[in-house]
């Protein structure tokens, strides 16, 4: 790996070196280009370009074009959102359901990919859960739960607790065999692992950007494929959802032929401005290059943890890997507090230590983390 290339990006993260940050699976720092873009936008809005409507629309279109390049989607199939859960609710509430219809999930998901579907139970929709196998979601276990009434399957691109990456190509094939809507929660994968919505034939994808994509909080998007376009109704139409929004007293619901029909009107423009700057950085580096960098870093971390005798909860097979490494520790809560005091940020999730480095983290950062873990263990062994 060319370290000089990656070192050039470390200057975008002013928290270095006083803070070693390994918590990108929770929320990422905002890189300097994104911060500067948002500051410039707010400064302009506070001075003379207060209305800035044309620029708002240009920023939104640019956002969709860049996201489209990232996931290989057409901009007209993308809608701006405020979070993953809102996107999934747009799917759940926008479909016509009949009592007795079923949805298939698994019991290893973050609640954002569960509650929007459980909320349909009041309409007579049943939700089935496939069981995970020690943090692994296998296609055969999903298929065993498919019933004749199953209409939709939703699954994470990467699972939040241990970074397990399901075989989405196999899940796609399962969905096509049973004519299921194929939905993906992409928040723990995009920005780390390349993804092509067309190749995977994904019907619906929702993603917030404050984790691996390094967007400001409240900036997100969702993708709607042409396959389900006519089946999905706008959940919360707003004045910009229609063909002629400026004809204020024409109340016809002539929805736009693009995914903008699913947007309510105003949106988090400051978030989109920051997201555009971060997207420019990600596209400049390249998804494949970031993925290789992340695997390089997590391979090193996994190897060091294993050699030190820690039990991993992350699967080590290359095809299942992402940017998350989770391990067990007998004093996980104390270790988490100790690392925070040492200015090293990781997550404590379900009694496990979750480490999630990004492309700008180098081996010295990881060595500092390992050194502090060993120092904690040594101090506890002496007491």
């Amino acid at each position: 790996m060319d370290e000089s290339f990656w070192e050039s990006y470390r200057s975008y993260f002013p928290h270095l070196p006083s803070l070693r940050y390994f918590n990108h699976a929770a929320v990422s720092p905002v890189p300097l280009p994104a911060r500067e873009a948002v500051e410039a936008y707010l400064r302009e809005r506070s001075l003379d370009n207060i209305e800035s409507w044309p620029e708002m629309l240009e920023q939104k279109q640019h956002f969709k074009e860049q996201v489209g390049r990232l996931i290989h989607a057409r901009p007209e199939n993308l809608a701006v959102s405020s979070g993953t859960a809102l996107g999934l609710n747009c799917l759940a509430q926008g479909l016509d359901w009949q009592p007795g219809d079923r949805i298939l999930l698994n019991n290893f998901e973050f609640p954002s990919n569960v509650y929007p579907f459980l909320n349909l139970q009041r309409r007579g929709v049943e939700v089935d859960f496939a069981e995970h196998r020690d943090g692994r979601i296998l296609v055969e276990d999903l298929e065993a739960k498919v019933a004749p009434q199953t209409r939709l399957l939703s699954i994470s691109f990467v699972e939040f607790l241990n970074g397990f990456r399901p075989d989405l190509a196999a899940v796609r094939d399962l969905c096509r065999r049973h004519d299921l809507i194929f939905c993906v929660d992409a928040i723990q994968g995009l920005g780390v692992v390349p993804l092509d919505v067309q190749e995977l034939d994904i019907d619906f994808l929702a993603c917030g950007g404050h984790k691996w994509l390094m967007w400001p909080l409240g900036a997100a998007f969702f993708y709607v494929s042409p396959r389900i376009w006519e089946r999905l109704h706008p959940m919360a139409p707003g004045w910009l959802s229609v063909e002629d929004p400026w004809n204020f007293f024409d109340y016809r619901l002539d929805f736009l032929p693009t995914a903008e029909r699913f947007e309510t009107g105003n949106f988090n423009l400051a978030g989109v401005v920051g997201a555009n700057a971060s997207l420019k950085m990600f596209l400049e580096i390249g998804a494949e290059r970031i993925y290789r960098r992340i695997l390089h870093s997590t391979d090193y971390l996994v190897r060091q943890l294993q050699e030190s005798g820690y039990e991993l909860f992350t699967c080590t097979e290359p095809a299942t890997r992402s940017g998350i490494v989770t391990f067990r520790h007998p004093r996980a809560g104390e270790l988490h507090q100790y690392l925070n005091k040492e200015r090293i940020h990781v997550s404590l999730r379900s009694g496990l230590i979750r480490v999630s480095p990004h492309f700008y983290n180098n081996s010295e950062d990881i060595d500092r983390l390992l050194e502090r873990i060993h120092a904690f263990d040594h101090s506890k062994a002496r007491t």
Side-chain angles (χ1 to χ4, degrees):
M1 304 289 285
D2 184 359
E3 281 300 322
S4 63
F5 174 84
W6 298 109
E7 285 297 317
S8 67
Y9 284 96
R10 282 174 71 85
S11 63
Y12 287 179
F13 301 94
H15 65 275
L16 295 169
S18 63
L19 171 65
R20 309 297 174 116
Y21 195 80
F22 302 101
N23 206 16
H24 302 88
V27 60
S28 275
V30 175
L32 275 180
R35 190 186 86 182
E36 291 167 355
V38 173
E39 288 172 346
Y41 158 71
L42 294 175
R43 188 163 50 247
E44 187 175 293
R45 282 287 318 279
S46 69
L47 294 173
D48 57 355
N49 194 13
I50 295 170
E51 296 175 48
S52 66
W53 186 253
E55 291 85 351
M56 288 177 66
L57 299 182
E58 289 172 9
Q59 285 282 350
K60 183 165 73 166
Q61 181 60 26
H62 185 48
F63 172 77
K64 292 180 180 181
E65 290 169 356
Q66 291 201 99
V67 170
R69 288 175 57 194
L70 184 70
I71 67 170
H72 304 274
R74 297 174 65 88
E76 55 265 33
N77 292 112
L78 296 166
V80 175
S81 177
S82 63
T84 307
L86 178 59
L88 294 172
N89 272 288
C90 286
L91 174 66
Q93 297 297 326
L95 292 167
D96 290 328
W97 298 100
Q98 301 299 319
D101 285 344
R102 309 186 80 89
I103 293 169
L104 179 55
L105 307 174
N106 69 79
N107 65 348
F108 201 56
E109 292 288 343
F110 192 77
S112 294
N113 195 26
V114 176
Y115 295 160
F117 303 111
L118 286 182
N119 194 38
L120 293 170
Q121 290 176 325
R122 60 190 174 85
R123 293 166 60 178
V125 177
E126 300 294 332
V127 179
D128 298 308
F129 290 90
E131 299 280 335
H132 72 91
R133 300 193 194 186
D134 197 29
R136 299 165 62 91
I137 299 98
L138 304 183
V139 174
E140 53 263 38
D141 295 331
L142 291 169
E143 186 147 31
K145 286 286 186 176
V146 175
Q149 300 83 11
T150 307
R151 300 286 177 259
L152 181 149
L153 182 153
S154 189
I155 193 168
S156 287
F157 182 22
V158 169
E159 297 300 339
F160 80 100
L161 183 56
N162 67 347
F164 177 78
R165 186 153 57 93
D167 185 350
L168 289 191
V171 177
R172 169 202 62 201
D173 295 342
L174 180 158
C175 289
R176 293 301 162 254
R177 283 196 300 274
H178 297 278
D179 193 25
L180 310 180
I181 292 174
F182 179 24
C183 172
V184 174
D185 171 351
I187 194 170
Q188 289 291 5
L190 276 186
V192 179
V193 185
L195 181 141
D196 186 328
V197 294
Q198 296 187 62
E199 179 182 322
L200 289 170
D201 202 16
I202 293 170
D203 292 314
F204 191 95
L205 180 144
C207 184
H210 62 276
K211 298 183 186 291
W212 299 96
L213 286 166
M214 300 182 175
W215 300 352
L217 284 158
F221 74 93
F222 59 89
Y223 161 82
V224 184
S225 77
R227 182 174 179 266
I228 66 166
W229 192 262
E230 296 302 325
R231 300 166 63 182
L232 189 64
H233 308 290
M235 176 189 74
W239 75 286
L240 290 178
S241 301
V242 298
E243 291 273 13
D244 189 9
W246 294 98
N247 191 355
F248 300 132
F249 294 111
D250 181 357
Y251 299 135
R252 289 176 300 175
L253 271 177
D254 294 333
F255 288 120
L256 285 165
T258 68
E260 197 165 4
R261 63 166 60 184
F262 303 110
E263 300 169 5
T264 57
N266 284 326
F267 57 95
N268 177 10
L269 180 56
V272 166
V273 167
N276 276 335
S278 288
L279 279 165
K280 180 177 184 292
M281 176 183 69
F282 275 84
L283 293 170
E284 173 185 273
I285 298 172
E288 290 290 343
R289 179 181 272 169
I290 291 173
Y291 180 50
R292 291 194 300 270
R293 170 68 169 184
I294 295 293
L295 288 185
H296 175 78
S297 295
T298 55
D299 279 345
Y300 178 68
L301 176 59
V302 163
R303 189 166 59 252
Q304 295 297 316
L305 288 170
Q306 288 177 322
E307 289 177 0
S308 298
Y310 298 103
E311 182 186 356
L312 293 176
F313 188 52
T314 290
C315 304
T316 57
E317 296 91 334
T320 69
R321 292 280 301 285
S322 64
I324 295 172
V325 176
T326 305
F327 66 98
R328 294 182 170 90
H329 192 282
R331 296 173 179 257
E334 294 178 51
L335 174 59
H336 181 249
Q337 292 179 357
Y338 171 79
L339 291 174
N340 273 335
K341 290 178 182 177
E342 293 291 314
R343 304 282 291 165
I344 299 172
H345 284 209
V346 298
S347 282
L348 179 67
R349 294 288 186 269
S350 299
L352 304 167
I353 299 294
R354 186 183 70 181
V355 185
S356 48
H358 218 312
F359 67 79
Y360 67 87
N361 291 118
N362 59 22
S363 58
E364 291 180 9
D365 295 333
I366 296 172
D367 285 339
R368 174 64 176 169
L369 166 67
L370 294 164
E371 172 194 308
R372 291 295 85 198
I373 293 173
H374 294 320
F376 172 83
D377 287 342
H378 182 67
S379 68
K380 294 302 177 183
R382 293 170 56 190
T383 57

